[in-house]
Amino acid sequence: MFPVSLPTNSFLVAALSLLLIRISCSSLSVPDIPHIAVYFGTKTRYEEVNSHLLRDALSVNTSVLKPPPTERCSLVHLTAVIRHGSRYPTVKNIRRIQKLSELVRREASRGSEGWLRDIQSRWQMWYTEDMDGQLVAKGREDLRQLAWRLATLFPSLLSEENVKMRRISFLTSSKHRCVSSIEAFQEGLQQHWGQHEFYYSHAVDDKLMRFFEHCRGYMEGVENNRTALLEVEKFKRGEEMEAVRRRMAERLGLPQHRLTPDLVEAAFFLCSYELSIKSLHSPWCFLFNESDAKVLEYKSDLKQYWKRSYGYAISSLSSCPLFHHVFRTLDKAGRPRRSTEASPEPASILVGHAETLLPLLSLLGLHKDKTPPTANNYQSQHGRSFQTSRIVPYAANLLFVLYDCQRGPRLQLLINESPVRFPGLETEDAPLYRDVRATYRHLLDGCDFHGECEGRTGGRGPNTEL
Ligand SMILES: *[C@@H]1O[C@H](CO)[C@@H](O)[C@H](O)[C@H]1NC(C)=O
Ligand SMILES: *[C@@H]1O[C@H](CO)[C@@H](O)[C@H](O)[C@H]1NC(C)=O
Ligand SMILES: *[C@@H]1O[C@H](CO)[C@@H](O)[C@H](O)[C@H]1NC(C)=O
């Protein structure tokens, strides 16, 4: 019997493991995603921006790298500025969610519809204040998978040797979710190269990754200035938001005055959190249709525009330290070298926040529309380029890719793993680095943090041309 049972057993084991793989794959491949998931602003999942990742989270499109086909080029350096991954709500939003769920449980009409019954009888408030903005398991996965894909895309830079010899620099904001994210990124790289025991090595630098807090002109002129976000306040009480509030009140059978705009937003965020944290299509999502979601998305775009982007010049200028840091790193990596000299730093990984990325993107002149979004022009802003759901989802990333080519170093930009062109240099995907430097000359020679942040106070007026 013995010789016979062995192959039978191993066949059974093989069949069983195949079955298990099939089961786990099929449970992964039935994503029941709310239609409104692409409108969650800074609470959007990375997968909503790159939907092919829903089928294969590690798939990489190598044709996004576009050095000129007529020139011989090699990769010399990657600087990646990355937002932390999916996270828990902060205390402020947890309290709003608490308030909303109590209101709906106590005062909403008894649900005739299934989703309302689900909210009232099945859904449990499970968020607690100690979760306060921390990275969730899915958020660690976001960064691990991103690292894995970047190692596939840049095998010579994020190479096994460069990872093992610790030639890659890692720098992060001090916030817990960012430190956890940079650790997860390092796990992803090490996993990619077959390591199973992880080590971490990174520096914390808030002057670079949380520059906004260190810029007095920004803090006084924008962050702590009650009138700086006037457009957001007006929109919150404007006709589009009022209509969303009225419809939500109707769906819940509540008097409209019981729902504040903050509670409307809490319900929208709740739908986003249940998806990004637990991959659930929450019953709360049924409170909104696509038109409602677009209005709520616009509300958060307005906030980011006026608080972190083109609304006030000081917001982008506060990122000058990070801008200079990136270009110093690129200068060093692109400098001509004798063959005896040590090779340049292959990659620099910087982890921060949406509040880190948006000012830097604005300083570079990216996603700038002709007309600023305001409380009154929602209808004309449907095709806007400044759409935070697309730009700064969880794990958003801005990649500076430096090549060494026959005519000299070249630089390419990618946002969320897709190519974008430098404003003013739109004819090429990877223009000569010296042309990029010439385009940003005024910032490279100026953009003095202390001059901008300490010198003049106030927001310096809306939309001053840089
Ligand atoms: C790969 O990237 C290129 C360049 O951005 C794009 O044109 C192409 O559609 C992408 N292919 C896939 C399968 O996504
Ligand atoms: C959403 O609901 C409103 C009010 O019922 C309706 O006017 C609008 O057309 C709906 N939008 C979509 C995309 O279904
Ligand atoms: C606050 O913002 C308003 C609107 O931009 C501006 O006029 C005012 O000077 C700012 N206040 C301070 C203290 O900077």
Side-chain angles (χ1 to χ4, degrees):
M1 284 308 280
F2 190 59
V4 181
S5 69
L6 229 181
T8 311
N9 273 345
S10 57
F11 170 77
L12 266 178
V13 169
L16 192 67
S17 59
L18 210 82
L19 189 73
L20 285 175
I21 289 167
R22 289 291 295 278
I23 290 169
S24 63
C25 281
S26 62
S27 66
L28 282 176
S29 67
V30 283
D32 178 17
I33 302 168
H35 294 303
I36 60 176
V38 294
Y39 303 113
F40 288 151
T42 57
K43 294 171 178 63
T44 304
R45 299 188 306 175
Y46 195 70
E47 291 86 344
E48 256 62 61
V49 177
N50 283 309
S51 56
H52 60 276
L53 299 177
L54 287 168
R55 291 184 297 277
D56 178 1
L58 301 180
S59 69
V60 172
N61 179 356
T62 51
S63 42
V64 296
L65 297 183
K66 293 165 174 270
T70 51
E71 255 180 87
R72 233 169 341 100
C73 296
S74 57
L75 284 161
V76 283
H77 177 86
L78 167 71
T79 283
V81 188
I82 305 172
R83 186 189 178 204
H84 59 76
S86 308
R87 60 165 173 86
Y88 286 118
T90 50
V91 167
K92 185 181 83 181
N93 277 319
I94 291 173
R95 290 187 183 145
R96 285 180 183 165
I97 290 170
Q98 175 77 39
K99 229 171 122 186
L100 172 76
S101 68
E102 281 168 13
L103 175 70
V104 170
R105 186 150 307 154
R106 280 199 317 263
E107 297 183 34
S109 62
R110 291 298 103 194
S112 53
E113 307 216 46
W115 59 264
L116 189 50
R117 277 202 306 275
D118 280 348
I119 289 178
Q120 288 172 330
S121 56
R122 290 222 200 140
W123 191 82
Q124 296 281 333
M125 174 67 191
W126 63 278
Y127 301 91
T128 52
E129 292 191 7
D130 59 317
M131 292 172 174
D132 191 20
Q134 302 216 29
L135 199 71
V136 296
K138 167 68 167 65
R140 284 197 92 91
E141 206 54 36
D142 292 340
L143 270 289
R144 262 190 229 119
Q145 292 169 346
L146 175 64
W148 185 287
R149 290 194 303 276
L150 294 185
T152 308
L153 193 55
F154 303 103
S156 60
L157 301 178
L158 303 175
S159 66
E160 181 168 13
E161 200 194 341
N162 287 340
V163 171
K164 288 193 174 149
M165 303 299 286
R166 308 191 186 190
R167 290 199 190 114
I168 299 160
S169 79
F170 294 96
L171 213 139
T172 177
S173 133
S174 63
K175 287 279 170 174
H176 196 283
R177 55 185 171 274
C178 295
V179 174
S180 304
S181 291
I182 208 162
E183 286 178 1
F185 190 94
Q186 295 179 67
E187 288 167 14
L189 280 186
Q190 294 167 38
Q191 245 168 7
H192 184 269
W193 295 115
Q195 287 170 237
H196 302 291
E197 280 181 35
F198 305 130
Y199 62 83
Y200 308 109
S201 125
H202 47 256
V204 169
D205 191 337
D206 281 349
K207 288 225 164 84
L208 275 187
M209 303 315 290
R210 295 179 61 78
F211 46 76
F212 42 91
E213 282 179 346
H214 296 87
C215 181
R216 196 164 58 88
Y218 170 74
M219 293 305 283
E220 289 176 4
V222 183
E223 173 95 37
N224 300 325
N225 179 348
R226 288 176 169 276
T227 55
L229 300 188
L230 208 59
E231 294 300 325
V232 185
E233 290 308 315
K234 278 202 269 183
F235 190 74
K236 250 169 106 168
R237 292 186 305 266
E239 56 174 321
E240 288 90 359
M241 280 291 286
E242 279 301 295
V244 172
R245 192 154 76 102
R246 190 174 59 241
R247 288 200 286 268
M248 180 170 157
E250 274 165 19
R251 285 176 189 134
L252 287 170
L254 278 175
Q256 195 176 329
H257 71 269
R258 296 293 287 139
L259 275 182
T260 62
D262 285 343
L263 290 181
V264 172
E265 200 167 53
F268 189 55
F269 289 166
L270 192 43
C271 169
S272 87
Y273 283 121
E274 306 271 281
L275 179 68
S276 64
I277 299 172
K278 294 181 153 185
S279 300
L280 281 180
H281 186 158
S282 164
W284 292 94
C285 304
F286 291 93
L287 287 169
F288 308 98
N289 72 12
E290 211 172 327
S291 318
D292 302 327
K294 285 181 180 171
V295 171
L296 288 160
E297 180 195 39
Y298 189 70
K299 195 242 141 193
S300 69
D301 285 1
L302 268 184
K303 178 174 162 199
Q304 300 301 333
Y305 184 92
W306 291 97
K307 195 169 176 184
R308 303 289 176 182
S309 182
Y310 293 109
Y312 300 99
I314 189 67
S315 308
S316 51
L317 288 171
S318 68
S319 75
C320 289
L322 180 57
F323 175 87
H324 283 299
H325 176 87
V326 168
F327 276 86
R328 266 200 309 275
T329 308
L330 295 169
D331 285 349
K332 250 192 255 169
R335 223 169 31 209
R337 237 173 313 273
R338 288 193 212 89
S339 55
T340 50
E341 281 180 275
S343 44
E345 183 180 79
S348 160
I349 309 296
L350 308 164
V351 174
H353 308 263
E355 294 87 335
T356 312
L357 275 160
L358 284 171
L360 182 63
L361 290 166
S362 313
L363 195 63
L364 294 167
L366 298 159
H367 295 291
K368 185 173 190 176
D369 298 295
K370 288 221 166 63
T371 318
T374 64
N376 311 320
N377 67 2
Y378 172 69
Q379 291 305 336
S380 69
Q381 289 284 332
H382 291 312
R384 69 191 179 277
S385 152
F386 191 82
Q387 202 188 352
T388 53
S389 306
R390 312 285 309 167
I391 309 171
V392 275
Y394 296 120
N397 50 85
L398 171 64
L399 308 181
F400 296 83
V401 183
L402 191 69
Y403 305 89
D404 191 17
C405 300
Q406 281 166 307
R407 289 182 55 208
R410 287 180 178 275
L411 188 64
Q412 190 190 345
L413 271 188
L414 295 113
I415 296 182
N416 301 329
E417 299 170 75
S418 292
V420 288
R421 293 184 175 185
F422 289 97
L425 295 169
E426 280 96 351
T427 54
E428 286 181 289
D429 285 298
L432 287 167
Y433 182 56
R434 61 169 179 269
D435 293 341
V436 177
R437 282 198 56 114
T439 300
Y440 294 122
R441 169 68 49 211
H442 59 297
L443 295 174
L444 289 165
D445 292 345
C447 202
D448 171 55
F449 183 74
H450 291 283
E452 300 300 343
C453 292
E454 295 295 328
R456 289 145 288 195
T457 52
R460 290 209 351 190
N463 247 327
T464 325
E465 208 59 50
L466 293 178

